[in-house]
Amino acid sequence: MEHQPQSPAPLGQPPSWIAQMIFASRWLQLPIYLGLIVVQAVYAYKFIKSLWHLIVNLNQMDANTIMLAVLNLIDVVMIANLLVMVIVGGYEIFVSKLRTEGHPDEPEWLSHVNASVLKVKLSMSIISISSIHLLQTFVNAANLPEKTMMWQLLLHLGFLASALAMAYTDKVLYGTSHKNH
C-alpha cells in the first residue's frame, strides 16, 4: 500500500493541520467554563449564608432591612442564572454540543441558542441585575450619597442603551427578531 502524498492546501487556505489545531483550540475554554461552575458554587454558598442571616435576624430587622435582604437574595439568584446561561450556552455554542435532546430538564432556550440569541439574553440579564441594584439603591437612598445614586442610574441607562443597540444591530444584520426567545 503506497503512501499518497497529501496535496497542498488550496491557495489562501491554511494547511489542514493548522485548521485542525485552530478548531481544537476551542477546548482551551473548558477550564474557563469549569471555573464558572466553581463561581456558581460560591454564589450558592453566598445565597445560603444570606438566607440564614435573614432568618436568624428577622425579629431585629425593620421592613426596609428585610426588603434589602430579599433584594440581595434576588440579586444572587439572577447572577446565578446569568452564570448558567453563560456556562451552558457558551459551552454549547463555542466548545461542544451537550447532547441534552430529549432530557426532561433541558432548558427550553437551549434548543435555539446561538451567539446572537445568547448575547441578547445576557444583556437582558445584566439589565435585570442592574435594576435590582438600582432598586436597592433607592430603598436605601437615605443612607447613600446623591452622587452614588446618580452614577448607578447612569450606568443602568448605559446598560439599557447598550442592550437596545445590540438588539437593533442584531436585527439589522441578521434579520432576527428574537420573538421566541
Side-chain angles (χ1 to χ4, degrees):
M1 189 176 202
E2 279 185 42
H3 176 62
Q4 298 273 333
Q6 189 174 7
S7 60
L11 193 60
Q13 289 187 349
S16 65
W17 68 270
I18 291 177
Q20 290 172 354
M21 185 174 68
I22 290 170
F23 184 64
S25 73
R26 72 192 191 283
W27 287 100
L28 292 173
Q29 290 189 9
L30 181 61
I32 297 167
Y33 290 114
L34 294 175
L36 287 178
I37 293 170
V38 172
V39 172
Q40 182 86 336
V42 168
Y43 270 94
Y45 171 77
K46 180 178 168 51
F47 181 89
I48 292 168
K49 185 177 174 187
S50 296
L51 179 61
W52 179 253
H53 182 266
L54 174 64
I55 292 168
V56 169
N57 297 302
L58 190 60
N59 290 331
Q60 292 83 33
M61 295 180 171
D62 63 5
N64 274 358
T65 307
I66 292 170
M67 186 184 305
L68 287 170
V70 170
L71 288 173
N72 184 50
L73 291 171
I74 292 169
D75 184 47
V76 172
V77 169
M78 293 182 86
I79 292 171
N81 290 342
L82 179 65
L83 281 166
V84 168
M85 278 193 286
V86 170
I87 294 165
V88 174
Y91 183 88
E92 175 88 9
I93 293 167
F94 299 111
V95 180
S96 185
K97 297 295 178 203
L98 290 170
R99 300 180 205 345
T100 58
E101 298 85 16
H103 192 283
D105 294 331
E106 178 186 13
E108 177 271 329
W109 55 268
L110 191 57
S111 63
H112 49 264
V113 73
N114 60 40
S116 180
V117 170
L118 186 62
K119 174 181 60 179
V120 172
K121 284 190 176 300
L122 293 177
S123 64
M124 296 309 295
S125 294
I126 289 168
I127 290 169
S128 298
I129 292 166
S130 176
S131 296
I132 295 296
H133 281 233
L134 203 54
L135 186 54
Q136 286 174 315
T137 296
F138 285 116
V139 168
N140 199 25
N143 302 324
L144 295 172
E146 190 175 305
K147 194 172 188 176
T148 299
M149 293 187 295
M150 180 197 66
W151 280 111
Q152 285 187 356
L153 179 61
L154 288 174
L155 184 62
H156 181 72
L157 292 173
F159 287 147
L160 281 171
S162 177
L164 288 172
M166 282 192 295
Y168 180 74
T169 302
D170 182 56
K171 184 175 182 165
V172 168
L173 290 176
Y174 302 107
T176 58
S177 64
H178 305 295
K179 287 180 187 171
N180 299 324
H181 312 292

